[in-house]
Amino acid sequence: MTTAVLKINEELNGIELYFNTKPVQNVINKLKENGFRWSGFKKCWYTKKSEEAFQIANSLTNDHEESTVTTEIKSIEAKNIELNLWESTKWSEIQVNKEQSTKEMAKEIRTHVRKRFPQCKFSITSDYNSIRFYIVSSPYEKESTYILAIREYCSKLLNAYKYCTNYDPYGDYGSSYNFYGSVSIHWEYNQIETTEAHKKDMSEFDGKFAGFEKAEEERKEKEFQEYQQQRELEAIEIKKRQQGQKQTEFIYNNIDVRTLEENEQYFVIGSEFAELNKNNTIDEYIYEVSHGKYSLENVKITKEVHFTNEEALTHFSNMLLHDFDFLCETGGSYTEDNRINSMTDFYNMDKEERQTVKWNLLGVAVYFNNKLQFVVDAQGYSYARYVGLTTNATIEKTFTYEQVLNKEEITALKEQAAQLEDVSTNILSELDIKETWQNENWKEYKEAIKAKFKQSNMKLTKKIIQQLDIESLKVSMYKLLQEVNGIQEQFKDADIQQGEKLTLFYISDFGSMVTNRVTFDSVTPTTYAQYDNAVKLTYKPENKRQLYYTYHYSDMLVYKGWYNLPETILNYVETHNGYVLTKSKHMSCDKKQYDAVLEHFEQQGVTPIVNTYKTTF
């Protein structure tokens, strides 16, 4: 329920409307049409107080039909709470209308200060671009702390209405503002009679002011001490930096940097890399490794840094996070896995395949007196981002990588990849889509190459794609493998006749594979829940007479004919003491179950007529 609260702000001579939620648009429009403005500071709609404005506000909070607001009206007249002199001179931010004319602003300011300082007389006048603000008389001496405190408050009030319209500190005339003016004590200032009430007020002010001054002195002293401390820290930092610069220069003067050619490079096997990296000193790495918090890595050395002075090595070992030119653009990781010819191949591997890839590091070997001290993997940066200890490592000229695919398999796959490149090139030439085959002509290209696969009895696999040299073709072939026609389209293309026997495979809501042998009746494209691409499949289950139907919208395999899936395809079956123990090979909902089904029937030369799990060729 939306409620509105109407408040009268006597101090600013204004009307304020507070809504508990954002009002409807017709209410907002009516507010704007009648001069109301939104205050982001006070979270209300406000305008100058007038009979007309009050009627508009009252109508919005009472007229249910017009505003669609259920109202709760609270007209609050600001009470004339008398402030003592000290309280009245304390400034707090207020929300004002800076867009009104100087005449209207001067009137608001005049009303405000007369109510706040009734003991003073002010002269506040205006013209089109300025406001003249004078303190004319008061019970206080002209240069007293009391009159200066009142003047400071009035200055802050005047500045609250002022804003910069054109900031230009370097121009001939500087920045410009919506109006000009300041607060001054009138040249004919008159000190009126000081009453006992004024004297009491001044006495209270003196007490508060003394405490305020003491607090200010303490604050300034604290700020000064903090400033001094900061300066000392900066001086220490500058000294460290200067010392670091001297040490850096000393390091550069006592090293011999050697970039190794391909035939000169070698391996540091079993380098100990701490789990906590980016340390500044070698001792921090030693501490981590000594507590068993490390991993063993093999590093291929592409550069050597030979220190000719032990002190220079010590300096370098204690400033590992500093930048050094000889570390720039070194480090990183690589693999010699013959299944990966670009990172595209790695990104298209599944989780299990990625775990079989062994990565090696590239790095810089640090020597002193021709003895290896440690290795650095900068990861392309110019500082020692990762450091490996080499106390227990060995140096090998060559490194044998255990490949998943042997040479004969790679040779055969490369031949098929070359054949695929030729097929693709011919299609691009025949269709004349060399510039557009990856985007607007992708569907045309896809159908053409699938036809070529079928014609030549060529099966596209991930292993063949990995051996492609053309990166754009590699990306497109991975895309081709992943793009599967929707279930509605596949059932339409399958052209299944009523009465045909089918075997359905799909993962149930419980995560296990379902085998369903049915006699087909009909299939209807439809929607199901939030799925637009679904089918309603009507059939007779095996050994049933009546028709049943189910909705399918995700992965499933459909084979023509009735087939049995041996239990050992998806499960481990063991016999112990006359008991049969069956254990699933897959986790719940694991889609690898589909791969197992596909592989089993593929070995028998049986292919699915519907396969929404993955594209097969």
Side-chain angles (χ1 to χ4, degrees):
M1 181 176 70
T2 304
T3 61
V5 177
L6 170 62
K7 292 185 180 181
I8 308 299
N9 191 324
E10 289 291 340
E11 189 172 14
L12 292 178
N13 194 33
I15 294 175
E16 299 173 352
L17 271 175
Y18 294 83
F19 293 87
N20 68 329
T21 61
K22 183 178 178 181
V24 292
Q25 192 59 46
N26 64 323
V27 173
I28 295 175
N29 294 340
K30 188 166 185 179
L31 287 168
K32 290 181 178 179
E33 290 169 2
N34 289 279
F36 280 82
R37 297 174 180 273
W38 170 252
S39 169
F41 180 79
K42 298 185 73 174
K43 307 300 181 187
C44 71
W45 291 87
Y46 70 95
T47 190
K48 286 177 62 63
K49 187 168 69 174
S50 67
E51 185 63 30
E52 181 183 358
F54 183 80
Q55 291 176 359
I56 294 297
N58 203 34
S59 70
L60 288 175
T61 56
N62 284 290
D63 189 348
H64 292 199
E65 293 183 0
E66 181 177 2
S67 65
T68 66
V69 175
T70 303
T71 62
E72 174 191 315
I73 305 174
K74 293 182 181 179
S75 296
I76 301 177
E77 295 288 340
K79 297 180 180 179
N80 293 323
I81 301 173
E82 291 187 5
L83 302 174
N84 60 40
L85 179 59
W86 176 260
E87 292 170 342
S88 62
T89 56
K90 295 299 101 184
W91 171 258
S92 60
E93 294 294 332
I94 60 175
Q95 186 72 23
V96 298
N97 181 4
K98 300 181 181 183
E99 302 297 333
Q100 57 190 326
S101 67
T102 53
K103 183 178 180 180
E104 291 172 326
M105 286 190 279
K107 185 178 179 181
E108 280 188 6
I109 293 170
R110 192 181 304 116
T111 301
H112 182 97
V113 296
R114 284 177 178 175
K115 289 185 177 181
R116 196 170 186 92
F117 304 105
Q119 72 274 36
C120 300
K121 183 178 179 181
F122 301 93
S123 172
I124 304 172
T125 59
S126 64
D127 56 27
Y128 75 98
N129 72 340
S130 65
I131 296 177
R132 295 173 291 279
F133 195 146
Y134 296 101
I135 303 174
V136 177
S137 67
S138 77
Y140 317 117
E141 292 183 7
K142 187 174 183 179
E143 298 298 331
S144 65
T145 55
Y146 319 115
I147 201 70
L148 293 177
I150 294 172
R151 178 183 175 183
E152 182 179 357
Y153 180 93
C154 293
S155 296
K156 290 178 178 178
L157 175 63
L158 183 65
N159 289 333
Y161 285 84
K162 188 181 295 186
Y163 67 90
C164 181
T165 58
N166 182 24
Y167 181 70
D168 184 13
Y170 302 107
D172 294 337
Y173 301 101
S175 304
S176 57
Y177 296 85
N178 59 329
F179 70 87
Y180 298 89
S182 59
V183 180
S184 304
I185 299 174
H186 202 276
W187 60 87
E188 293 183 347
Y189 175 79
N190 179 36
Q191 182 183 351
I192 63 175
E193 181 183 355
T194 305
T195 65
E196 289 300 320
H198 294 149
K199 291 178 181 178
K200 181 181 178 182
D201 218 11
M202 293 160 64
S203 177
E204 290 181 0
F205 183 95
D206 290 340
K208 296 280 188 180
F209 187 72
F212 173 77
E213 281 192 318
K214 183 179 179 181
E216 276 294 289
E217 288 178 4
E218 291 175 353
R219 182 186 63 81
K220 289 178 180 178
E221 178 62 24
K222 183 180 178 182
E223 288 183 353
F224 177 75
Q225 294 298 333
E226 290 175 351
Y227 172 75
Q228 287 291 88
Q229 186 178 9
Q230 185 62 32
R231 290 292 301 272
E232 291 174 4
L233 292 174
E234 289 175 357
I236 293 172
E237 187 62 31
I238 291 172
K239 188 175 180 180
K240 283 183 178 179
R241 196 178 303 119
Q242 291 173 344
Q243 183 68 20
Q245 290 173 350
K246 290 181 180 178
Q247 292 175 351
T248 300
E249 184 177 352
F250 187 72
I251 290 170
Y252 277 109
N253 291 333
N254 290 276
I255 58 171
D256 177 24
V257 180
R258 305 172 188 173
T259 300
L260 304 181
E261 298 295 333
E262 183 70 30
N263 60 347
E264 298 175 318
Q265 296 173 4
Y266 54 90
F267 294 88
V268 177
I269 308 298
S271 301
E272 297 167 339
F273 279 80
E275 293 177 4
L276 182 63
N277 291 290
K278 302 176 188 175
N279 296 310
N280 194 48
T281 69
I282 196 67
D283 288 339
E284 292 174 276
Y285 284 103
I286 293 173
Y287 176 84
E288 286 292 313
V289 172
S290 66
H291 285 73
K293 299 177 181 179
Y294 66 92
S295 62
L296 295 176
E297 306 291 342
N298 301 326
V299 185
K300 188 175 185 179
I301 303 302
T302 60
K303 182 182 286 189
E304 293 178 345
V305 178
H306 291 261
F307 281 83
T308 57
N309 182 287
E310 188 172 6
E311 184 180 357
L313 173 62
T314 301
H315 289 329
F316 177 70
S317 301
N318 290 321
M319 49 193 304
L320 297 171
L321 296 184
H322 283 60
D323 291 324
F324 293 96
D325 292 344
F326 53 79
L327 294 179
C328 189
E329 297 183 358
T330 63
S333 55
Y334 78 102
T335 181
E336 293 183 354
D337 195 311
N338 54 23
R339 297 170 296 172
I340 298 177
N341 292 291
S342 78
M343 287 307 295
T344 303
D345 298 317
F346 181 73
Y347 295 144
N348 280 278
M349 286 181 166
D350 57 34
K351 183 179 179 181
E352 289 77 10
E353 288 175 319
R354 291 184 183 186
Q355 290 176 345
T356 64
V357 178
K358 175 63 178 176
W359 294 92
N360 294 323
L361 301 178
L362 299 170
V364 176
V366 177
Y367 284 88
F368 175 64
N369 284 340
N370 292 321
K371 182 180 179 181
L372 181 62
Q373 304 296 309
F374 51 85
V375 293
V376 173
D377 172 18
Q379 287 285 316
Y381 293 85
S382 55
Y383 68 93
R385 194 173 178 85
Y386 303 117
V387 171
L389 305 184
T390 56
T391 304
N392 301 314
T394 59
I395 297 177
E396 303 287 346
K397 180 61 180 175
T398 60
F399 175 73
T400 302
Y401 189 97
E402 287 189 27
Q403 299 288 357
V404 175
L405 301 177
N406 58 43
K407 290 183 179 180
E408 291 75 17
E409 290 174 312
I410 287 296
T411 300
L413 290 170
K414 284 186 177 295
E415 290 177 357
Q416 295 177 73
Q419 181 183 351
L420 176 56
E421 290 177 357
D422 292 339
V423 169
S424 177
T425 302
N426 292 335
I427 289 174
L428 297 182
S429 298
E430 292 171 3
L431 299 178
D432 193 21
I433 54 172
K434 293 181 180 179
E435 304 298 326
T436 59
W437 68 282
Q438 288 181 288
N439 36 66
E440 55 256 44
N441 290 113
W442 167 249
K443 188 173 182 180
E444 185 180 359
Y445 171 83
K446 180 173 71 171
E447 295 304 321
I449 200 165
K450 286 169 70 175
K452 290 286 187 181
F453 289 151
K454 189 174 182 179
Q455 180 182 346
S456 60
N457 200 26
M458 180 179 179
K459 182 179 180 181
L460 180 65
T461 65
K462 190 186 294 185
K463 291 180 179 180
I464 296 174
I465 299 174
Q466 289 169 348
Q467 303 308 316
L468 290 171
D469 293 325
I470 304 172
E471 183 66 18
S472 59
L473 181 59
K474 183 189 293 284
V475 171
S476 297
M477 290 301 100
Y478 279 123
K479 179 181 176 182
L480 186 63
L481 275 185
Q482 295 163 3
E483 284 188 349
V484 180
N485 290 337
I487 194 167
Q488 293 179 358
E489 185 179 356
Q490 290 208 32
F491 267 100
K492 180 181 177 182
D493 294 340
D495 192 27
I496 309 171
Q497 302 300 313
Q498 188 178 36
E500 284 194 273
K501 292 183 177 182
L502 304 175
T503 304
L504 317 178
F505 294 96
Y506 55 90
I507 295 177
S508 71
D509 293 337
F510 298 101
S512 58
M513 181 65 71
V514 172
T515 302
N516 199 358
R517 304 204 306 180
V518 304
T519 301
F520 177 77
D521 182 77
S522 64
V523 62
T524 306
T526 185
T527 60
Y528 183 76
Q530 72 269 33
Y531 303 100
D532 294 330
N533 195 333
V535 294
K536 178 183 178 182
L537 188 61
T538 305
Y539 54 85
K540 287 182 182 180
E542 184 181 12
N543 298 324
K544 298 288 183 181
R545 294 183 179 181
Q546 294 182 344
L547 290 175
Y548 291 76
Y549 66 86
T550 52
Y551 290 94
H552 296 275
Y553 51 85
S554 71
D555 298 331
M556 74 178 306
L557 305 174
V558 179
Y559 290 87
K560 276 193 175 184
W562 280 1
Y563 295 96
N564 289 314
L565 186 68
E567 195 171 20
T568 54
I569 301 301
L570 299 177
N571 302 287
Y572 298 107
V573 180
E574 300 176 0
T575 303
H576 294 284
N577 300 324
Y579 292 94
V580 178
L581 178 63
T582 303
K583 181 180 178 182
S584 176
K585 295 179 179 179
H586 306 277
M587 300 291 288
S588 178
C589 299
D590 188 351
K591 291 190 176 183
K592 290 289 185 181
Q593 296 176 85
Y594 288 110
D595 290 313
V597 174
L598 285 168
E599 183 179 357
H600 169 72
F601 287 109
E602 183 181 346
Q603 291 174 354
Q604 301 178 42
V606 180
T607 58
I609 57 173
V610 172
N611 178 0
T612 59
Y613 166 61
K614 67 191 297 187
T615 302
T616 56
F617 299 94

